[in-house]
Amino acid sequence: APRGGVAALTRAVAARHGAAASTAARAAYNTLLVERRGDANEVALVTLNRPKALNALCDELIAELTEVTTEFDRDGDVGAIVITGSDKAFAAGADISEMATRSYMDTYKTNMFEPWTALTRLQTPTIAAVNGYALGGGCELAMMCDIMLAGDTAQFGQPEILLGTIPGCGGTQRLVRAVGKSKAMEMILTGDRIKAEEALAIGLVARVYPAAELVDRAVAMGSKIAGFSKPIASLCKEAVNAAFEMTLAEGVHFERRLFHSTFATDDQKEGMAAFLEKRKAKFTDKSAAGGCGSGRVARGGMHARTTVA
């Protein structure tokens, strides 16, 4: 890997593909398979593709995943991103062969694992479709997504204690928020795995499907989400994620302000008019007409900019 870890690899990946090939749906990747799904190609499907390593999350894979999801996030035609792996493994963990001999200063100077968090900053809704193993970094990557769906063969775990270390990419923080302190402590302190049905029962995943149906079900959910107003979906996501960072009073206030902001969009006017007229809404992802003319609302919640069309 280039010196500097994932950040350097991200720059190298971008240089390799070049500006002319920056469109995610057309670019070729070493560790990913990328395609568009849905009737209008509105769902981006990204498949982790290191089968011999059970999709172990190496620096190159994270750099490519960051690049492709960022590209899709900028694409106004994409309303949802589905991330999946193979039938055998979503991702069996971070790539131990890359990190085993690193020193403290190696990890500190490169801020190891920080680039993984780019996934949490996407404004497009993300869905993890998990078949097989989602262990260690694989479980952490899945928890970074907005919705986690599991195939009935899925297994989840944070087994870092077996390797003489601890979760390093949010496992101790996101897992406890998802399943509560006691269950998170059990999983992290024992390294034991849980199966899909238990993951559903404790709230780690939203739904469990037969493994063979999982990806199609995830794409169908993504297509449904993509059919709504994209700026409004981003605001929903922003408000829910804020709940992890704010007190209840702060969160309710923030939610109310985001709600107020929706009245600056054509889609709020169209959605409510369609409800009153008993017809299906036709969302356009644009701001309401005003003194400066109508325009497209950029994703980004209360900090979004409106560009004149």
Side-chain angles (χ1 to χ4, degrees):
R3 186 177 180 180
V6 176
L9 266 167
T10 300
R11 294 191 294 270
V13 167
R16 184 176 76 236
H17 295 313
S22 62
T23 300
R26 294 199 303 270
Y29 294 90
N30 292 331
T31 64
L32 306 173
L33 300 175
V34 179
E35 59 184 300
R36 296 278 284 272
R37 293 276 194 94
D39 293 340
N41 289 327
E42 71 278 11
V43 178
L45 176 62
V46 181
T47 303
L48 311 183
N49 187 39
R50 296 187 72 208
K52 292 182 180 179
L54 295 178
N55 291 331
L57 301 169
C58 63
D59 286 349
E60 183 177 25
L61 187 151
I62 294 301
E64 292 190 336
L65 183 63
T66 298
E67 181 194 6
V68 74
T69 53
T70 300
E71 288 290 335
F72 280 133
D73 196 41
R74 294 169 179 163
D75 188 331
D77 294 328
V78 173
I81 301 170
V82 175
I83 299 174
T84 192
S86 66
D87 291 342
K88 190 172 184 179
F90 174 78
D95 194 327
I96 304 304
S97 66
E98 279 190 343
M99 72 174 75
T101 60
R102 290 178 182 174
S103 68
Y104 167 75
M105 290 309 297
D106 291 334
T107 63
Y108 180 77
K109 286 183 176 180
T110 62
N111 201 7
M112 184 175 166
F113 289 161
E114 191 281 331
W116 291 39
T117 61
L119 188 63
T120 67
R121 295 190 290 272
L122 300 179
Q123 293 169 338
T124 305
T126 55
I127 301 171
V130 179
N131 270 327
Y133 302 120
L135 306 177
C139 188
E140 290 170 310
L141 182 68
M143 288 192 290
M144 290 181 198
C145 294
D146 299 314
I147 301 171
M148 199 190 314
L149 306 178
D152 55 11
T153 62
Q155 296 185 40
F156 302 88
Q158 297 291 161
E160 289 85 353
I161 198 166
L162 306 180
L163 304 176
T165 188
I166 72 169
C169 203
T172 64
Q173 303 304 302
R174 293 190 177 92
L175 188 61
V176 71
R177 285 165 168 79
V179 305
K181 176 185 174 181
S182 186
K183 190 62 182 181
M185 282 287 195
E186 179 193 18
M187 292 175 65
I188 291 168
L189 291 176
T190 67
D192 290 346
R193 306 172 188 174
I194 61 171
K195 295 183 179 179
E197 290 299 335
E198 183 176 359
L200 178 64
I202 63 177
L204 183 60
V205 305
R207 294 183 182 274
V208 175
Y209 297 110
E213 299 177 12
L214 176 65
V215 172
D216 288 341
R217 295 279 197 153
V219 169
M221 181 178 289
S223 185
K224 181 176 183 178
I225 293 168
F228 300 120
S229 166
K230 293 178 180 63
I232 299 303
S234 293
L235 289 173
C236 288
K237 171 174 174 169
E238 186 173 359
V240 172
N241 285 334
F244 293 107
E245 311 295 338
M246 297 179 176
T247 66
L248 178 60
E250 290 168 338
V252 170
H253 178 76
F254 183 65
E255 175 193 77
R256 188 180 306 120
R257 290 294 183 245
L258 292 184
F259 168 75
H260 294 162
S261 76
T262 68
F263 286 75
T265 68
D266 278 351
D267 289 339
Q268 172 270 328
K269 301 296 184 291
E270 166 62 13
M272 292 190 180
F275 175 82
L276 293 173
E277 296 164 11
K278 296 180 171 56
R279 60 175 174 81
K280 184 177 181 179
K282 297 180 180 179
F283 297 118
T284 60
D285 306 334
K286 293 182 179 180
S287 67
C292 295
S294 63
R296 180 174 295 275
V297 178
R299 291 172 179 168
M302 294 183 70
H303 307 293
R305 295 176 296 172
T306 302
T307 55
V308 177

